[in-house]
Amino acid sequence: MELYELAAHEAAAKLRSKEISARELTQASLDRIASVDLSVHAFVTVTGEAALAQADAVDKKIAAGEEISPLAGIPLALKDNLCTAGVETTCSSRILRGFIPPYDATVVTKLNDAGSIFVGKANLDEFAMGSSTENSGLFTSANPWDIESVPGGSSGGSAAAVAAGEAFWSLGSDTGGSIRQPAAFTGTVGVKPTYGRVSRYGLIAFASSLDQIGPITRDVRDAAFLMNAICGHDPLDSTSAPVDTPDFTKALTGDIKGIKIGVPKEYFAQGVDPAISAATRKAIDQMVELGAIAEEISLPYSEYALPTYYIIAPAEASSNLARYDGVRFGHRTRRATGHVDLFEKTREEGFGDEVKQRIMIGTYALSAGYYDAFYLKAQQVRTLIKRDFDNAFEKYDVIVTPTTPTVAFKIGQKSNDPLEMKLNDILTIPANMAGIPAVSLPCGFEGGLPVGLQIMAPAFGEEVMLRVAHAYEQANDWHRRRPTL
Amino acid sequence: MPSQLSIEEVGRVAHLARLELTDTEKQRLTGQLNDLLAQFSQLQEIDTTGIPPTSHPFLLRNVMREDVARPSLSRDKATQNAPEKRDGNFIVPQIVEG
């Protein structure tokens, strides 16, 4: 295996044993970016020089015999909706081109403090609205397993970078599946933590009651290490939960005897590719062989999660995106004659089609006369979706489903059919609605493309979720496969 | 529940959202929004009488901090990204006549 293909914890072990240096690791990532990113297009910005300087600082610490964190010296990619002081942060939108944040997101500060190496900012669907990166206002990223296919989205660049060996791990954000769906499409591990587990300070807001930052990695152990570093209460985010962060790696015992798995029949229904259902059921059978107990359950309101999401998320987005007005930052029209005209033309020029569509639906759903019929109704249905999960978790430790209805599709295949595109997230949205944690990890291949398995757990139940994910992963070798580029 | 959005109504919503849409965009969005509205009608099947709305996944009360001064962004940093600025102020088109 090449250096750039190692799991982050494997690279960290070599760093500790002084077999390699942080500079060598960083150079390996940068070389890999130079050789494959012209076809993968994972990065909006590559910060090579700064990365090498960070690496040298870590090497100095190692040479001085200082204790270093498990993240130190390991190259990482950041989704380009995470604010990085002094480094352009675009949200892959024309409206934010050239925006240089004056401060770091809390997760960026935490990773920086841990000695993490930032190799660059990864592409996304504009403002994280999409499932393929085709809505990026800059360019479309490719799937390293088949460069004619999408890497998923919205954290498509973050997932593609990890799968392609351009970064050892990355951070994404997940509002309706934007970490888990691209992880499924690229054969990586993607965690959406419990809402409130990770500070959203400095994450450019899309839908504030749903957004959550999380890791995309090559195996479950790496995800646990990154979770250890990014979780925790933050006074700068009033929705961040005042709960302690456990050492998630301690949960990876390999023992899942007696774990109760709920298998919701609605997640294997029409629209889910039979090959994906079969791969998921095979994975569940394997968990049973490892000592878990699986039973069919029902989450009847999950089928309403998609329309509920497409009211709540755009409503919140229409409010969050009101700040892009051409006054304080970002693009400003040159054609304005008055202040309202300045706002309207700036936003017309700066936002892409999908973002405009969501702002429109959100504005409509919140407008006078329609609030009760749409927004209030959706919030009530959200309660019912959440109650389904509350009831299920009284009896079951985790819920296991496919992550996506299909494997990665071809670039252009669904981009003209917004409804078809939105079906991508049908199995991932319910976890955001309920605020619970969920992970996607590889459970097979279909036509040469990775298949993702989703494990959901009760709020703040990441430990049992990662324990089950790790036990399954270690009984297989999907996480050791690497694409040929 | 309105059945169909007209192109005029789309124009009205666009103004509320401060978006100057082209005619082609209005046309396209009218179709797309009506498709989505048809999807939303599914929700009307559900009886939500007496069900409280969820605005946030977990019940959080107002989160307060001590009312004490602390360092914040400098004026320079706060205005560093402004498309147009002068003497630490944001420049906007004239709003008030006279």
Side-chain angles (χ1 to χ4, degrees):
Chain A
M1 213 174 245
E2 300 285 342
L3 196 53
Y4 61 76
E5 292 179 317
L6 296 174
H9 62 86
E10 294 166 340
K14 286 183 189 291
L15 205 54
R16 276 157 194 278
S17 66
K18 300 197 168 126
E19 202 180 316
I20 49 166
S21 66
R23 177 170 263 269
E24 283 170 309
L25 270 180
T26 305
Q27 197 59 58
S29 272
L30 295 174
D31 289 348
R32 183 68 176 164
I33 292 171
S35 70
V36 302
D37 209 53
L38 278 175
S39 48
V40 178
H41 304 294
F43 286 94
V44 175
T45 306
V46 177
T47 49
E49 268 181 47
L52 288 168
Q54 282 179 307
D56 289 344
V58 171
D59 282 332
K60 255 189 203 157
K61 280 193 178 172
I62 296 172
E66 280 179 48
E67 189 66 28
I68 58 162
S69 98
L71 279 67
I74 314 294
L76 174 138
L78 293 165
K79 188 175 183 177
D80 206 22
N81 60 354
L82 294 165
C83 284
T84 42
V87 176
E88 186 184 11
T89 300
T90 66
C91 263
S92 291
S93 179
R94 291 191 303 272
I95 212 159
L96 270 181
R97 266 283 106 121
F99 172 65
I100 312 285
Y103 59 84
D104 278 328
T106 295
V107 291
V108 172
T109 306
K110 281 174 179 267
L111 294 183
N112 223 347
D113 292 348
S116 201
I117 311 291
F118 302 131
V119 286
K121 307 295 296 285
N123 191 33
L124 60 148
D125 288 290
E126 184 177 3
F127 284 102
M129 298 176 185
S131 311
S132 68
T133 72
E134 289 167 292
N135 295 336
S136 167
L138 308 177
F139 49 82
T140 298
S141 302
N143 191 316
W145 293 92
D146 167 24
I147 57 162
E148 288 174 12
S149 290
V150 302
S154 69
S155 310
S158 295
V162 174
E166 298 173 277
F168 287 81
W169 47 18
S170 65
L171 288 187
S173 66
D174 190 315
T175 304
S178 279
I179 288 174
R180 291 160 286 157
Q181 185 257 15
F185 278 13
T186 58
T188 53
V189 175
V191 176
K192 183 205 92 72
T194 306
Y195 183 85
R197 184 67 108 166
V198 180
S199 167
R200 293 183 295 108
Y201 181 74
L203 166 68
I204 296 177
F206 162 14
S208 303
S209 79
L210 304 166
D211 297 344
Q212 195 61 197
I213 300 166
I216 297 175
T217 60
R218 293 186 183 142
D219 65 20
V220 175
R221 182 167 299 279
D222 278 357
F225 274 119
L226 260 186
M227 288 284 287
N228 282 353
I230 62 172
C231 293
H233 178 252
D234 179 8
L236 298 175
D237 171 5
S238 62
T239 63
S240 113
V243 294
D244 291 334
T245 304
D247 178 352
F248 292 106
T249 63
K250 290 226 166 78
L252 313 183
T253 59
D255 178 12
I256 57 167
K257 283 190 196 73
I259 292 280
K260 291 195 187 117
I261 301 172
V263 184
K265 58 179 185 207
E266 291 84 1
Y267 290 65
F268 296 80
Q270 56 156 354
V272 179
D273 184 334
I276 294 213
S277 289
T280 309
R281 291 201 185 276
K282 207 173 154 199
I284 294 166
D285 289 345
Q286 241 184 313
M287 292 174 186
V288 171
E289 281 165 32
L290 294 169
I293 301 149
E295 284 173 6
E296 185 175 276
I297 62 166
S298 175
L299 298 170
Y301 286 105
S302 281
E303 74 166 285
Y304 298 103
L306 193 70
T308 305
Y309 176 84
Y310 275 99
I311 294 171
I312 291 174
E316 294 184 12
S318 71
S319 167
N320 275 326
L321 272 60
R323 61 172 62 99
Y324 303 102
D325 56 10
V327 174
R328 289 151 299 160
F329 37 68
H331 173 74
R332 175 179 213 161
T333 184
R334 292 173 192 282
R335 306 181 288 136
T337 53
H339 67 285
V340 173
D341 198 44
L342 171 80
F343 304 153
E344 294 193 339
K345 288 200 165 69
T346 292
R347 291 160 66 79
E348 161 64 10
E349 293 167 7
F351 290 134
D353 290 345
E354 181 72 20
V355 174
K356 284 177 189 165
Q357 189 208 104
R358 299 209 199 185
I359 290 174
M360 289 289 290
I361 202 79
T363 304
Y364 180 68
L366 292 176
S367 66
Y370 302 115
Y371 182 91
D372 284 4
F374 293 116
Y375 191 61
L376 184 65
K377 184 81 181 179
Q379 287 189 314
Q380 289 175 310
V381 178
R382 184 173 182 184
T383 304
L384 295 171
I385 295 166
K386 191 167 179 290
R387 282 184 187 171
D388 270 356
F389 282 99
D390 291 344
N391 292 336
F393 286 128
E394 277 178 21
K395 257 189 98 178
Y396 298 94
D397 298 301
V398 292
I399 292 172
V400 178
T401 72
T403 307
T404 55
T406 66
V407 292
F409 46 89
K410 297 285 182 195
I411 293 169
Q413 190 185 327
K414 296 186 179 178
S415 50
N416 291 322
D417 188 344
L419 288 182
E420 172 80 1
M421 184 68 96
K422 288 173 171 62
L423 289 176
N424 267 295
D425 300 325
I426 199 159
L427 307 175
T428 46
I429 282 173
N432 300 81
M433 287 290 147
I436 58 174
V439 56
S440 177
L441 71 158
C443 71
F445 284 82
E446 181 58 29
L449 292 166
V451 178
L453 177 75
Q454 177 172 239
I455 305 173
M456 296 180 267
F460 303 103
E462 281 90 349
E463 287 168 282
V464 66
M465 176 182 92
L466 293 173
R467 173 145 68 107
V468 174
H470 173 256
Y472 169 77
E473 174 191 83
Q474 294 301 309
N476 295 278
D477 76 339
W478 310 121
H479 65 294
R480 304 214 150 268
R481 312 266 179 108
R482 301 287 182 263
T484 323
L485 270 162
Chain B
M1 189 86 167
S3 47
Q4 283 280 308
L5 267 178
S6 66
I7 193 160
E8 290 73 29
E9 190 142 24
V10 167
R12 187 184 66 84
V13 176
H15 180 64
L16 284 175
R18 297 293 183 265
L19 283 170
E20 186 193 82
L21 301 177
T22 64
D23 287 345
T24 327
E25 282 181 315
K26 273 185 211 160
Q27 210 99 48
R28 196 190 62 239
L29 278 163
T30 305
Q32 288 177 347
L33 297 190
N34 279 319
D35 285 350
L36 277 167
L37 290 180
Q39 284 236 310
F40 296 163
S41 64
Q42 271 184 63
L43 299 184
Q44 305 309 318
E45 301 165 5
I46 308 172
D47 181 7
T48 50
T49 317
I51 304 293
T54 294
S55 56
H56 185 278
F58 309 109
L59 287 175
L60 269 184
R61 290 185 188 85
N62 276 341
V63 179
M64 304 294 200
R65 63 169 170 80
E66 288 299 301
D67 185 18
V68 287
R70 51 178 187 156
S72 60
L73 283 185
S74 67
R75 194 162 178 158
D76 271 358
K77 274 198 163 181
T79 56
Q80 75 183 21
N81 284 288
E84 244 189 284
K85 61 188 164 188
R86 195 182 306 148
D87 307 326
N89 297 301
F90 300 110
I91 302 291
V92 292
Q94 185 174 353
I95 293 170
V96 183
E97 296 287 317

